[in-house]
C-alpha cells in the first residue's frame, strides 16, 4: 500500500515548498488536432509531416468533418502536378479524383471547379506552385481563395456532412493547413474545430 510519502515529488512540493519544474515543453512534436485521416486515403497516397502533407496518387480526407457554422482551411501547393482541393462526404472513394463523383466538390489545378464530373465554374487566374489556396464553407457555399484574395468562384448546394478533401497525382504535393494560416480567414470564419471543441 502506498503512503502519502510514497510520492516524494508531491511531498516535497506540498510540505517543503519546492516548486514544480517549469521547463518549457516543446510543442513542435505534438500532432495538430485536425490532420489527414490515414484511414480515409487512397492506397497510393503518402501522408507525412505529422499528417499535414499529401503526396503520391489519390485522395485524402481530413480527420474531422466541418461541424461549425463557418470554417476555413488552406492548402499550399508545394509541388505542381495534378491536384484538387475541396470537400467530400465520407462516401467519397479516395481512389478517384475529387469532383468527379456526386460525393465531392473541388477546385482543380487548372482553375476549374467540378462536381459529379461536371465543370461548374472556371477561373482565368493561374494557380501555381507556391500558391496558398484558401477555402471557406458556411453550409451554404464553398468559396475559394488564392493567396488571400477571392478567386470569384464558388460551389453551392452542398448537402450533408462534409470533410476537407485533397487529391494529388503526377508529382503534386500539397500541404494541408488547419491552423496557423498563411492568410487571415475572412470575417466570421475560423479554423476547423473538432465536434467536442464546439460544445
Amino acid at each position: 500500500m502506498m503512503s502519502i510519502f510514497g510520492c516524494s515529488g508531491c511531498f516535497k512540493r506540498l510540505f517543503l515548498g519546492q516548486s514544480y519544474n517549469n521547463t518549457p515543453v516543446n510543442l513542435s512534436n505534438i500532432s495538430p488536432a485536425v490532420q489527414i485521416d490515414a484511414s480515409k486515403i487512397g492506397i497510393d497516397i503518402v501522408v507525412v509531416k505529422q499528417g499535414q502533407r499529401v503526396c503520391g496518387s489519390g485522395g485524402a480526407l481530413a480527420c474531422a468533418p466541418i461541424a461549425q457554422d463557418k470554417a476555413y482551411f488552406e492548402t499550399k501547393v508545394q509541388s505542381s502536378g495534378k491536384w484538387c482541393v475541396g470537400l467530400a462526404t465520407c462516401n467519397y472513394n479516395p481512389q478517384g479524383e475529387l469532383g468527379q463523383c456526386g460525393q465531392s466538390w473541388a477546385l482543380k489545378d487548372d482553375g476549374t471547379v467540378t462536381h459529379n464530373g461536371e465543370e461548374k465554374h472556371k477561373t482565368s487566374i493561374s494557380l501555381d506552385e507556391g500558391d496558398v489556396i484558401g477555402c471557406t464553407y458556411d453550409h451554404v457555399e464553398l468559396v475559394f481563395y488564392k493567396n488571400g484574395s477571392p478567386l470569384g468562384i464558388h460551389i453551392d448546394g452542398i448537402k450533408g456532412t462534409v470533410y476537407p478533401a485533397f487529391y494529388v497525382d503526377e508529382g503534386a504535393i500539397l500541404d494541408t493547413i488547419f491552423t496557423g494560416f498563411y492568410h487571415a480567414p475572412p470575417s466570421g470564419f475560423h479554423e476547423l474545430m473538432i465536434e467536442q471543441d464546439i460544445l
Side-chain angles (χ1 to χ4, degrees), residues 90-112:
C90 63
N91 294 322
Y92 160 69
N93 178 357
Q95 299 306 109
E97 185 176 325
L98 275 178
Q100 297 304 305
C101 67
Q103 303 299 315
S104 62
W105 301 261
L107 170 66
K108 298 170 66 172
D109 59 277
D110 66 0
T112 58

Side-chain angles (χ1 to χ4, degrees), residues 15-35:
F15 296 107
L16 301 178
Q18 292 184 355
S19 64
Y20 288 95
N21 179 358
N22 291 328
T23 305
V25 176
N26 180 359
L27 298 177
S28 65
N29 294 328
I30 298 174
S31 295
V34 179
Q35 59 189 14

Side-chain angles (χ1 to χ4, degrees), residues 11 22-23 30 33 38 46 50 65 88 105 115 123 136 143 154 171 177 180 199:
F11 177 79
N22 291 328
T23 305
I30 298 174
V46 178
Q50 298 177 333
W105 301 261
H115 169 64
T123 181
T136 58
V143 179
H154 68 279
I177 305 155
L199 304 175

Side-chain angles (χ1 to χ4, degrees), residues 14-83:
L14 185 62
F15 296 107
L16 301 178
Q18 292 184 355
S19 64
Y20 288 95
N21 179 358
N22 291 328
T23 305
V25 176
N26 180 359
L27 298 177
S28 65
N29 294 328
I30 298 174
S31 295
V34 179
Q35 59 189 14
I36 297 300
D37 186 338
S39 70
K40 296 176 183 170
I41 62 173
I43 60 172
D44 293 323
I45 282 289
V46 178
V47 179
V48 294
K49 288 187 71 176
Q50 298 177 333
Q52 301 299 299
R53 178 169 284 176
V54 180
C55 49
S57 179
L61 298 181
C63 66
I66 297 178
Q68 77 250 39
D69 291 339
K70 294 183 173 187
Y72 178 77
F73 63 95
E74 292 177 336
T75 304
K76 183 170 185 183
V77 182
Q78 289 291 354
S79 182
S80 59
K82 190 173 188 177
W83 57 265

